[in-house]
Amino acid sequence: MEISYPYEDYPTVGAGAVTEAEYAEGIGWASPSGLIGSTSDPSPLLLSGGVLYLRAGTAARLIGMAYLNKDTDLAIGGIGSNGGAATRPDRVVLRLNWSTMLVRAAVLTGVPGGTLPGLTQQRGSGSYEISVGQVNIPAGGSLTNATLTRQRWYIGPDGQLLCWSDSRPPHSPGRRIWEADTGRWQLSTGVDPWRVLHDDSGWLNCTVASGWSVQPSGRVKARRRNGQIHVRLDLFRTGGRITSGAVKVADLPSGMAPSETEILPGSINEVGGTTRFLFNPDRSILIERFTPIDTGNAISVAHSFPLG
């Protein structure tokens, strides 16, 4: 039987109405799900006096169904002590029950020493969950000495998904997210890793090694942009003579290391000869010479390579 609702809403054809389940499975399924707010909001979870609370005012949307914890902090039960020998990660969720079409807070209990329990996101039956946060129950401990870890994401004013690099929504092919801590806009293909669509650190200073200085009007900087690292080095040798071998000239900024050593052939101004520049996974930049480098020699080089 074919049906096109709301007009043909079965069994009352022509009523022009839909049930909550019809809305969620139809229009709501294509709507973003998450907490309502921004990444600057405080954690929706609060630990106080050995009790876990969901803050008053916490709002969310789950496949079109709205949720609000209105006026007072809500005590969340169902979190027992940990008798294991390692920390137990529990996940607090908001869960839509397809049978009742009601959203309520719930707890997914983890395993001591295990990974965080995954989310259930079923369509039409069972349940649909979004993450609110992670509760870490230490070995032999309880909520009294537990800690909280960020595990949530938000829906922004335009429906965009806002998160952090350590707290992303589940993968779904074509899903786009904005990471507040990295400034990256990323795309899901359905599986790890996320694909960078936009990322720009701006030009950041490299750390110059001892025995070197920045040339007048020069720069020693690096920039991470859309999965590529761009480096510009204008250095001046202030230390003693280097006869041969690899010598460190600088360190790349954090988050700009290649996955393997990048090698760039080059030369030394006023000297010539064979030179190689090495950009290493530990972020160090080395110059490797097969002829001497004297005090006062200048180095200028620009290079780009893939991140990670």
Side-chain angles (χ1 to χ4, degrees), residues 132-205:
V132 177
Q134 177 178 333
V135 184
N136 308 296
I137 311 295
S142 64
L143 280 175
T144 302
N145 52 355
T147 59
L148 299 176
T149 299
R150 180 172 63 199
Q151 279 296 330
R152 65 188 188 274
W153 63 91
Y154 290 93
I155 305 172
D158 296 322
Q160 68 272 39
L161 294 176
L162 311 173
C163 62
W164 298 267
S165 57
D166 60 358
S167 184
R168 301 173 179 138
H171 277 288
S172 181
R175 174 169 287 163
R176 299 182 183 190
I177 59 173
W178 178 262
E179 294 177 349
D181 55 331
T182 66
R184 293 183 301 193
W185 185 28
Q186 301 226 61
L187 172 72
S188 170
T189 62
V191 296
D192 280 332
W194 289 81
R195 309 294 183 181
V196 176
L197 296 177
H198 172 78
D199 174 30
D200 192 347
S201 67
W203 287 103
L204 301 177
N205 290 324

Side-chain angles (χ1 to χ4, degrees), residues 256-285:
M256 296 195 187
S259 58
E260 57 186 28
T261 298
E262 291 280 333
I263 301 176
L264 175 69
S267 63
I268 303 297
N269 298 356
E270 306 169 349
V271 178
T274 304
T275 302
R276 298 197 309 174
F277 297 91
L278 310 178
F279 301 83
N280 296 310
D282 64 357
R283 298 190 290 114
S284 65
I285 305 173

Side-chain angles (χ1 to χ4, degrees), residues 35-59:
L35 297 172
I36 303 296
S38 75
T39 52
S40 62
D41 291 347
S43 170
L45 296 180
L46 172 67
L47 276 170
S48 178
V51 180
L52 178 67
Y53 295 95
L54 182 66
R55 290 183 188 273
T58 298

Side-chain angles (χ1 to χ4, degrees), residues 53-270:
Y53 295 95
L54 182 66
R55 290 183 188 273
T58 298
R61 191 68 60 87
L62 286 77
I63 50 176
M65 298 293 102
Y67 172 86
L68 174 63
N69 180 37
K70 293 186 66 178
D71 302 320
T72 59
D73 296 339
L74 174 69
I76 299 176
I79 300 181
S81 59
N82 178 12
T87 298
R88 189 188 74 212
D90 294 348
R91 189 195 291 265
V92 179
V93 301
L94 291 177
R95 176 186 294 151
L96 170 67
N97 185 316
W98 279 98
S99 297
T100 64
M101 295 308 299
L102 296 176
V103 178
R104 293 292 184 265
V107 176
L108 307 179
T109 303
V111 176
T115 59
L116 189 66
L119 296 170
T120 296
Q121 294 190 333
Q122 297 170 309
R123 181 174 182 177
S125 63
S127 61
Y128 187 95
E129 300 167 341
I130 64 168
S131 188
V132 177
Q134 177 178 333
V135 184
N136 308 296
I137 311 295
S142 64
L143 280 175
T144 302
N145 52 355
T147 59
L148 299 176
T149 299
R150 180 172 63 199
Q151 279 296 330
R152 65 188 188 274
W153 63 91
Y154 290 93
I155 305 172
D158 296 322
Q160 68 272 39
L161 294 176
L162 311 173
C163 62
W164 298 267
S165 57
D166 60 358
S167 184
R168 301 173 179 138
H171 277 288
S172 181
R175 174 169 287 163
R176 299 182 183 190
I177 59 173
W178 178 262
E179 294 177 349
D181 55 331
T182 66
R184 293 183 301 193
W185 185 28
Q186 301 226 61
L187 172 72
S188 170
T189 62
V191 296
D192 280 332
W194 289 81
R195 309 294 183 181
V196 176
L197 296 177
H198 172 78
D199 174 30
D200 192 347
S201 67
W203 287 103
L204 301 177
N205 290 324
C206 298
T207 303
V208 179
S210 175
W212 302 88
S213 65
V214 182
Q215 294 181 27
S217 301
R219 59 182 179 176
V220 181
K221 294 179 179 288
R223 182 177 190 173
R224 184 185 65 244
R225 187 174 186 184
N226 299 340
Q228 292 286 317
I229 304 299
H230 309 280
V231 185
R232 173 70 183 271
L233 302 177
D234 296 315
L235 288 166
F236 199 78
R237 179 63 182 167
T238 58
R241 190 181 205 218
I242 301 172
T243 56
S244 62
V247 177
K248 182 176 178 178
V249 297
D251 284 304
L252 292 164
S254 178
M256 296 195 187
S259 58
E260 57 186 28
T261 298
E262 291 280 333
I263 301 176
L264 175 69
S267 63
I268 303 297
N269 298 356
E270 306 169 349

Side-chain angles (χ1 to χ4, degrees), residues 13-47:
V13 176
V18 294
T19 66
E20 290 90 344
E22 287 170 336
Y23 178 83
E25 193 170 359
I27 299 172
W29 188 255
S31 302
S33 296
L35 297 172
I36 303 296
S38 75
T39 52
S40 62
D41 291 347
S43 170
L45 296 180
L46 172 67
L47 276 170

